[in-house]
Amino acid sequence: MSQGQQERIVVLSGPSGSGKSTLVRLLVDRAPVKLVMSISATTRPPRPNEVNGTDYWFLTDAEFRKRLAEGQFLEHAEVFSSGFLYGTLSSEMDRAWSQGGWAFLEIDVQGAMKVMQQYPNAVTIFLCTPSPGEFERRLRARGTESEEVIQRRLATAEKELQLSDRYKYVVVNDQLETAVSEICEILKAEEKARNA
Ligand code: 5GP
């Protein structure tokens, strides 16, 4: 693995309801560089249809903390004050790099800040919705969360938005296709800069 390969990290954050998951799928298919999705570990229980090792590594609290103590995580955070832990295993980065790809991390702002500290050259992208009202509408349209969870996510989104200027790029997900193209252009330019 070349030294340069280890610089290849893309971090994408944005409030749930910013249309992240659809965009992530499209990006993995269409990006002009090879994106290898980092599979996060979490203590959150799987939702119906979620598969261990594909969507997440679903760990017990004890297993998560054991790996944490062993230094296996690049970053970790408790997301949405939910009591559930989420984290990026360093082995996921190695997996991406050994395949000659960019490690693609879809993580929250707390995690992103930690990645930025360790990898200042990481390509960090904050995805936001055109307006706070639109964000709330999308969150509710999903219909998967309780009112309490929705309120918590709205409060978190507000806080996250305040940290968006720490990211290298802010992309507004108004039109999905436009946002995908915009990120593809960013990746093309970043890859070019690394090969220069
Ligand atoms: P969900 O429970 O809906 O799958 O994910 C909730 C949030 O956890 C998402 O906004 C996502 O960005 C964040 N998340 C997922 N994996 C990680 C991770 O490895 N580290 C951090 N810090 N956040 C994560």
Side-chain angles (χ1 to χ4, degrees), residues 20 40 44 47 56 75 77 79-80 86-88 106-108 111 153:
K20 250 184 323 181
S40 295
R44 164 172 81 59
R47 298 189 183 122
Y56 281 103
E75 62 75 32
V79 175
F80 301 128
Y86 293 77
T88 307
E106 193 261 279
I107 60 177
D108 83 330
R153 290 198 172 195

Side-chain angles (χ1 to χ4, degrees), residues 40-48 50-52 55-61 64 79-80 82-87 106 145 153:
S40 295
T42 184
T43 60
R44 164 172 81 59
R47 298 189 183 122
E50 281 185 332
V51 176
N52 189 40
D55 298 289
Y56 281 103
W57 296 108
F58 293 101
L59 304 180
T60 61
D61 205 65
F64 195 107
V79 175
F80 301 128
S82 59
F84 296 126
L85 298 166
Y86 293 77
E106 193 261 279
E145 273 93 19
R153 290 198 172 195

